[in-house]
Amino acid sequence: MRILLLSDIHANLEALEACMAAAPAYDLVANLGDVVGYGASPNEVIDRSRELGKIFVRGNHDKAATGLLELDDFNPLAAAAAIWTREQLTPEHFEWLHSLPQGPLPLEGALNVHLVHGSPNDEDMYVVSIGDALVPLLAEPTPLTFFGHTHLQGGFFANGHNADGFRPEYKTVGKGESFSFQLKPSTRYMINPGSVGQPRDGDWRAAFALFDTEAQVVHFHRTPYNLKAAQDRIFAANLPPRLATRLAAGR
Ligand code: ZN
């Protein structure tokens, strides 16, 4: 089975469409949350995401936009975007977003895989370093967990000898590219497909991944998208301009 992994779309319709145009053949889509927040196309992105599949875990921005998370812990930019998003959502989309399940969620059809937004221990925790990853990596009932939240493509592994992080290696900064990562037996992984709509690893290109369960290979992808159109929508919506400019830097 080939599973397309999307995370942290953040209401960026242009980035989502570019990912779908660049995506290789897949059998199902798994979405790791933060469908909305920051970007200016929340309703359009929810419609498109729901067309693509039924497997979702909720993200902190999905919770914030639907009143499930206090905005006290959000920085001012994120809070402004959450309030704006809440005002935009159609009642039906609000209801749908509000009812998304909390991770970790077992991935049906691909045994031994869990999906979560942050950490398996805490859906809102950022897993940035091997130090953050080690406890959940070793404690998870499944050897493979896909997560999002950090907007950093790559992940962490642990086996009997070693534990470390890894990042895909790309050759260009502006073209569509992929990087294949072979999973090894007797090794545990936490893998982040990267953020579709607001990458923060210094690479502005939209990120996603495809997991081939038979070959046990994760194919990481980056694809350029219509950045200016996404930025113009943010400016036109009177969202904080920084939410548009940061997209160009991938930060
Ligand atoms: Zn996010």
Side-chain angles (χ1 to χ4, degrees), residues 8 10 33-34 36 38 60-61 117 149-151 195 198 200:
D8 297 278
H10 282 291
D34 280 2
V36 301
Y38 296 132
N60 52 320
H61 285 261
H117 184 66
H149 197 33
T150 62
H151 301 204
S195 168
Q198 197 202 72
R200 290 181 197 158

Side-chain angles (χ1 to χ4, degrees), residues 25 33 44 47-48 52 58 64-65 71 102 121 135 141 150 155 181 206 216 234:
E44 295 88 339
D47 276 331
R48 187 76 173 104
L52 294 172
R58 67 186 187 184
L71 296 180
Q102 176 178 355
N121 300 337
V135 168
T150 62
F181 184 80
Q216 289 287 296
I234 290 170

Side-chain angles (χ1 to χ4, degrees), residues 11-229:
N12 186 336
L13 182 65
E14 288 74 16
L16 176 59
E17 293 298 1
C19 289
M20 296 318 297
Y26 59 85
D27 299 305
L28 61 84
V29 176
N31 190 311
L32 305 178
D34 280 2
V35 180
V36 301
Y38 296 132
S41 305
N43 288 305
E44 295 88 339
V45 163
I46 289 174
D47 276 331
R48 187 76 173 104
S49 300
R50 292 175 72 181
E51 273 169 31
L52 294 172
K54 288 193 164 55
I55 303 170
F56 291 83
V57 289
R58 67 186 187 184
N60 52 320
H61 285 261
D62 305 322
K63 291 197 291 178
T66 55
L68 292 169
L69 190 68
E70 295 294 326
L71 296 180
D72 307 354
D73 291 339
F74 268 37
N75 68 52
L77 285 182
I83 292 162
W84 179 89
T85 301
R86 195 178 303 179
E87 289 164 359
Q88 304 301 312
L89 289 172
T90 67
E92 207 247 328
H93 285 162
F94 183 97
E95 227 11 80
W96 176 82
L97 207 57
H98 188 263
S99 66
L100 290 181
Q102 176 178 355
L105 188 78
L107 178 52
E108 274 175 57
L111 294 174
N112 283 332
V113 175
H114 268 179
L115 309 172
V116 68
H117 184 66
S119 164
N121 300 337
D122 175 351
E123 61 176 340
D124 297 333
M125 182 188 158
Y126 291 90
V127 179
V128 175
S129 67
I130 183 63
D132 303 328
L134 204 53
V135 168
L137 204 48
L138 298 177
E140 265 293 84
T142 59
L144 174 58
T145 300
F146 289 106
F147 72 105
H149 197 33
T150 62
H151 301 204
L152 304 172
Q153 195 177 46
F156 305 95
F157 69 89
N159 55 37
H161 318 282
N162 197 9
D164 209 348
F166 67 91
R167 294 277 180 83
E169 290 157 29
Y170 295 113
K171 294 185 177 68
T172 77
V173 292
K175 293 183 181 153
E177 278 191 79
S178 68
F179 178 87
S180 298
F181 184 80
Q182 176 74 54
L183 303 187
K184 300 192 179 91
S186 308
T187 305
R188 305 176 70 81
Y189 294 92
M190 285 186 69
I191 293 182
N192 188 329
S195 168
V196 171
Q198 197 202 72
R200 290 181 197 158
D201 44 16
D203 185 336
W204 70 278
R205 294 172 293 183
F208 65 95
L210 183 117
F211 175 44
D212 184 328
T213 61
E214 270 119 73
Q216 289 287 296
V217 174
V218 176
H219 301 278
F220 292 100
H221 288 260
R222 297 306 277 242
T223 182
Y225 69 96
N226 192 338
L227 177 71
K228 183 168 184 309

